[in-house]
């Protein structure tokens, strides 16, 4: 006779594998198609506004609601693409625009990854602490929410100055560490909120059953609360990845860190008057960094798909 355990787990494993194949075979192409259609719609709307929009923009009550529909303010998409393939400057030794943007994007992506890892670690630690102790939740949660009201532009220079004053033997605080710290500052918030909500999502009957069997808190966390929190945690991780990229770009601009996509945006913005396609190249680079960061979290969701019962925004 087949053991009872195998009778129960066999169909479960088969159904999990079937769901995974269905997600890869149907869900992913559909999402790619919808995303491509969204980009196509944005491109068409952009070009239509250039052709039919007012040259002076739309001004209501002295407030500019829509930008000027001129080739200097809104260059055509093919102008942007052609500029990306050209050298950065007219110098004979100038590298192509796409190469400069690609290298800056990698630099910012690396800092964002460090900030994301630190932010996720801190967010999960805070969520576990708040879930374990009610008093800790009452004491910490208001400060977690309040932390996101601090202006990022004002905070970044302070973090840089404080870091420069740290001395631990031969350790030297680098400017990129300040940027990574700002990125983690933005990334920890959605993770802490999403994980806290997910850890508290198991049904009360399931938690009581664990108590009836005298299962400790750590084992309940591993067997019940963490699997139940995956549906809440994955959207929080994606939001944290996007927040880490935004924090890195803004911090690079605030402290003047060279080598990243944020500094490149500032440098190329000065050429908008004579070279309208140039400022858009680093903007596309920052979008690419955000897509790569979100795609990495999507890979994580593949490994956790057996625990997904529908993702829930925190």
């Amino acid at each position: 006779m087949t053991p009872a355990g195998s009778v129960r787990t066999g169909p479960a494993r088969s159904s999990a594998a079937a769901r995974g194949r269905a997600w890869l075979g149907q869900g992913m192409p559909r999402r790619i198609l919808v995303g491509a259609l969204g980009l196509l719609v944005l491109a068409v709307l952009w070009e239509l506004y250039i052709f039919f929009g007012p040259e002076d923009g739309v001004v209501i009550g002295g407030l500019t609601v829509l930008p000027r529909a001129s080739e200097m303010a809104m260059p055509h998409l093919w102008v942007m693409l052609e500029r990306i393939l050209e050298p950065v400057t007219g110098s004979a030794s100038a590298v192509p625009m796409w190469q400069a943007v690609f290298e800056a994007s990698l630099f910012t992506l690396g800092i964002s990854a460090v900030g994301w890892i630190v932010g996720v670690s801190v967010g999960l630690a805070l969520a576990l602490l708040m879930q374990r102790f009610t008093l800790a939740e009452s004491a910490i949660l208001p400060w977690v929410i309040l932390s996101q009201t601090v202006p990022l532009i004002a905070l970044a220079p302070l973090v840089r100055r404080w870091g420069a004053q740290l001395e631990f033997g031969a350790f030297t605080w680098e400017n990129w560490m300040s940027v990574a710290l700002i990125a983690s500052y933005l990334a920890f918030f959605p993770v802490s909120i999403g994980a806290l909500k997910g850890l508290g999502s198991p049904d009360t009957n399931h938690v009581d059953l664990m108590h009836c069997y005298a299962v400790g808190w750590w084992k309940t966390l591993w067997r019940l609360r963490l699997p139940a929190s995956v549906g809440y945690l994955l959207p929080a991780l994606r939001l944290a990845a996007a927040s880490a990229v935004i924090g890195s770009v803004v911090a690079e601009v605030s402290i003047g860190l060279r080598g990243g996509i944020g500094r490149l945006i500032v440098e190329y913005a000065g050429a908008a008057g004579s070279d309208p396609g140039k400022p858009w190249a680093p903007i596309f680079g920052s979008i690419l960094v955000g897509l790569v960061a979100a795609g990495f979290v999507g890979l994580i969701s593949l490994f956790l798909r057996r625990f997904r019962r529908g993702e829930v925004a925190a």
Side-chain angles (χ1 to χ4, degrees), residues 135-225:
L135 181 61
E137 179 180 355
S138 302
I140 297 175
L141 186 57
W143 291 103
V144 171
I145 298 174
L146 186 63
S147 67
Q148 302 304 298
T149 63
V150 179
L152 201 61
I153 296 179
L155 183 63
L158 293 177
V159 172
R160 179 189 180 185
R161 189 175 68 178
W162 293 338
Q165 297 175 357
L166 295 177
E167 294 183 2
F168 296 102
F171 173 79
T172 303
W173 184 270
E174 303 289 344
N175 286 337
W176 71 265
M177 298 178 184
S178 300
V179 176
L181 186 61
I182 294 297
S184 64
Y185 178 78
L186 289 185
F188 93 95
F189 175 74
V191 176
S192 59
I193 299 299
L196 177 61
K197 192 171 183 179
L199 292 173
S201 64
D203 189 85
T204 305
N205 294 330
H206 297 164
V207 178
D208 292 341
L209 182 62
M210 289 290 188
H211 292 165
C212 290
Y213 284 104
V215 178
W217 184 83
W218 284 106
K219 196 168 185 179
T220 302
L221 172 69
W222 182 254
R223 294 295 182 88
L224 178 62
R225 295 191 183 276

Side-chain angles (χ1 to χ4, degrees), residues 72-164:
M72 296 302 297
M74 296 181 61
H76 292 287
L77 295 176
W78 56 83
V79 173
M80 302 179 193
L81 295 178
E82 289 176 357
R83 188 64 183 89
I84 292 177
L85 300 177
E86 297 174 355
V88 177
T89 63
S91 174
S93 60
V95 299
M97 178 79 72
W98 67 266
Q99 181 178 343
V101 172
F102 181 73
E103 293 174 355
S105 299
L106 288 180
F107 183 83
T108 300
L109 181 62
I111 296 178
S112 301
V114 174
W116 183 80
I117 292 173
V118 175
V120 169
S121 302
V122 173
L124 287 176
L126 290 176
L128 290 172
L129 180 63
M130 290 187 289
Q131 197 284 321
R132 181 66 178 89
F133 303 103
T134 305
L135 181 61
E137 179 180 355
S138 302
I140 297 175
L141 186 57
W143 291 103
V144 171
I145 298 174
L146 186 63
S147 67
Q148 302 304 298
T149 63
V150 179
L152 201 61
I153 296 179
L155 183 63
L158 293 177
V159 172
R160 179 189 180 185
R161 189 175 68 178
W162 293 338

Side-chain angles (χ1 to χ4, degrees), residues 278-299:
K278 187 175 183 178
W280 291 93
I283 294 177
F284 292 148
S286 63
I287 295 174
L288 179 63
V289 172
L291 291 176
V292 171
F296 175 75
V297 179
L299 293 178

